[in-house]
Amino acid sequence: MQAAPVRATAIPSFTDALRAVESVLMSGGQRTARRNAWTSVLEDRRRAKDRVEAQLVLEAVATRS
């Protein structure tokens, strides 16, 4: 019984496939704008999480007194 051959090339991820399709369908400016928008969404989510954590800390300090 022989072992299965090992693939020398990595199988592209779903993200890699989407980026390949994106590069074919969109111009460079649209791609940049889309990525900038997504970066803004992620940053907004991070700030919202930070606000919730700060609010919890402030409420904990207020109830101790």
Side-chain angles (χ1 to χ4, degrees), residues 6-8 11-14 19-20 22 28-29 32 37 39-40 45 47-48 57 61-62:
V6 177
R7 286 181 73 117
I11 298 171
S13 69
F14 184 70
R19 286 198 176 150
E22 176 188 63
T32 301
T39 300
S40 293
R45 288 179 182 176
R47 280 193 298 259
V57 169
V61 168

Side-chain angles (χ1 to χ4, degrees), residues 1-6:
M1 185 169 160
Q2 290 183 336
V6 177

Side-chain angles (χ1 to χ4, degrees), residues 19 22 30-48:
R19 286 198 176 150
E22 176 188 63
Q30 288 175 323
R31 234 182 357 259
T32 301
R34 182 180 159 276
R35 288 189 183 143
N36 287 344
W38 182 244
T39 300
S40 293
V41 167
L42 295 177
E43 184 64 20
D44 288 345
R45 288 179 182 176
R46 187 194 60 77
R47 280 193 298 259

